[in-house]
Amino acid sequence: MSGSSMDALDLALVHALQVDGRAPFNGIGEVLGVSEHTIARRYRRLRAQGLLRIVGTLDGTLLGHTSWAVRLVCTPDAAGPVAEALARRDDTVWVRLLSGGTEIVCGVHAGGEEDGDALLLKKLPRTPRVVSMTAHATLHMYAGWRSRIAVLSEEQVARLSPAPPSTTEVSFSEQDLAMLRVLAQDGRAGYGDLAAAGRCSQSTVRRRVEQLRGAGALRFDVEIPPRALGYRAEAWLWMKVRPARLAEVGAALAAHPEVDVAAAVTGPSNLMAGVTCRDTQDLYRYLTERVAPLDGVREVETSPVIRTVKRVGAVLP
């Protein structure tokens, strides 16, 4: 799949949805200067082709969750099935196969001994085909899952942007969880579907979605395969940085357009980053020309991403 799979209007639509994943099609059409029908048709085509998906996710920190990056090394025949099993769990946010297909890295939100911590500390080490496991707690995010599409003007982005979130405290009911499971599969699910899942009225669901978004607890991410945009080399970097330079290096990585995510973590490596490049030569140039000169970087371990099993997932209590 090449970058030519998406034209200028497709890219503008994707950028609009990155600004507000549940923006009405008529509002997007008005900003882009096309009809609501055209926007709806484009969205359905991209979604049907597997090029675009909107995913509703919760801010796990508001639930008291700790974010972990878990590295697993499996026997050669086990990595695929283990990765698929991890992807089906509510507490995994993303899952990737690395290196030669024997290593898995996944993001996990753990809230206590009864849920995510049990996965981290009990189930995975006891899996016979898991050879080794390390878990890295996220201490600070420098950059978090950014998009590579930025084609709208500042004025267009401002017209589409929802109100900034407040600091209102939130709690979650069983109705909320039922609704959020639907949004985890389709962030643009209709209020009728959400009401049916939560067994409540559409007006109640609409109000609750607005409350959760207004509190910053619920956001809508855009999932799009990098190959659809012409990017064919993804890698995960595990870096050892002198503590005195950690914040400086993290901020520098966050400014690199190649970096999707960068975070300070616990463990043998104190900084991790996910990067996406056009091809392997572009990745080589990034490592040698952008990463290598950073003062304070002692070691860099590069693990190519072989397959993304789960790119964006829901965080549920």
Side-chain angles (χ1 to χ4, degrees):
M1 200 175 296
S2 67
S4 61
S5 301
M6 304 179 72
D7 63 19
L9 181 56
D10 291 334
L11 295 177
L13 170 58
V14 172
H15 191 181
L17 291 171
Q18 288 167 351
V19 176
D20 183 355
R22 285 187 68 88
F25 289 146
N26 61 346
I28 296 176
E30 182 178 342
V31 170
L32 301 185
V34 297
S35 70
E36 175 184 358
H37 176 73
T38 297
I39 293 298
R41 186 177 69 249
R42 290 294 185 110
Y43 172 78
R44 287 193 294 267
R45 176 178 62 79
L46 292 172
R47 195 170 190 275
Q49 292 177 344
L51 298 179
L52 175 65
R53 189 165 73 103
I54 311 299
V55 181
T57 64
L58 286 178
D59 182 349
T61 61
L62 297 180
L63 304 172
H65 289 177
T66 299
S67 179
W68 297 81
V70 180
R71 297 183 70 181
L72 305 170
V73 176
C74 302
T75 57
D77 63 325
V82 170
E84 296 285 353
L86 287 170
R88 289 192 293 269
R89 293 183 59 98
D90 285 339
D91 51 6
T92 60
V93 188
W94 47 269
V95 180
R96 287 166 169 78
L97 278 170
L98 304 180
S99 305
T102 59
E103 183 179 354
I104 301 167
V105 61
C106 63
V108 176
H109 281 271
E113 190 66 25
E114 296 300 320
D115 48 78
D117 288 351
L119 168 68
L120 288 168
L121 303 176
K122 295 180 179 179
K123 294 183 180 180
L124 287 176
R126 295 178 181 176
T127 303
R129 292 183 293 178
V130 172
V131 177
S132 66
M133 183 193 87
T134 57
H136 307 257
T138 300
L139 301 177
H140 181 76
M141 293 291 295
Y142 299 104
W145 306 113
R146 298 178 301 191
S147 168
R148 303 184 170 277
I149 300 176
V151 296
L152 301 183
S153 68
E154 292 184 4
E155 186 269 339
Q156 288 174 311
V157 170
R159 291 172 62 186
L160 289 164
S161 297
S166 65
T167 56
T168 307
E169 293 187 5
V170 293
S171 59
F172 299 92
S173 66
E174 288 300 321
Q175 288 181 332
D176 292 333
L177 299 185
M179 174 186 70
L180 291 166
R181 289 189 177 94
V182 175
L183 291 173
Q185 299 301 317
D186 179 7
R188 291 189 65 89
Y191 290 112
D193 293 333
L194 298 178
R199 297 183 180 180
C200 56
S201 68
Q202 291 192 36
S203 60
T204 298
V205 165
R206 183 187 299 270
R207 183 171 61 253
R208 189 56 177 155
V209 169
E210 292 174 353
Q211 288 173 345
L212 292 176
R213 295 191 75 183
L218 173 63
R219 70 177 189 272
F220 294 93
D221 291 333
V222 176
E223 179 179 306
I224 181 169
R227 284 178 176 262
L229 304 175
Y231 295 92
R232 299 178 177 277
E234 294 181 84
W236 210 258
L237 308 183
W238 303 96
M239 308 170 68
K240 294 182 180 180
V241 181
R242 291 206 310 270
R245 296 288 185 179
L246 183 59
E248 180 182 332
V249 173
L253 289 178
H256 294 172
E258 297 87 352
V259 173
D260 300 312
V261 60
V265 296
T266 62
S269 301
N270 57 356
L271 184 63
M272 70 174 190
V275 302
T276 302
C277 298
R278 290 289 180 184
D279 51 34
T280 53
Q281 285 300 308
D282 192 24
L283 175 60
Y284 170 77
R285 286 189 292 270
Y286 174 69
L287 293 172
T288 57
E289 298 175 10
R290 306 292 298 280
V291 176
L294 293 175
D295 186 24
V297 177
R298 292 173 172 172
E299 295 180 24
V300 179
E301 179 185 353
T302 305
S303 300
V305 176
I306 303 301
R307 181 164 67 96
T308 295
V309 182
K310 185 178 188 179
R311 188 171 298 278
V312 180
V315 181
L316 300 178

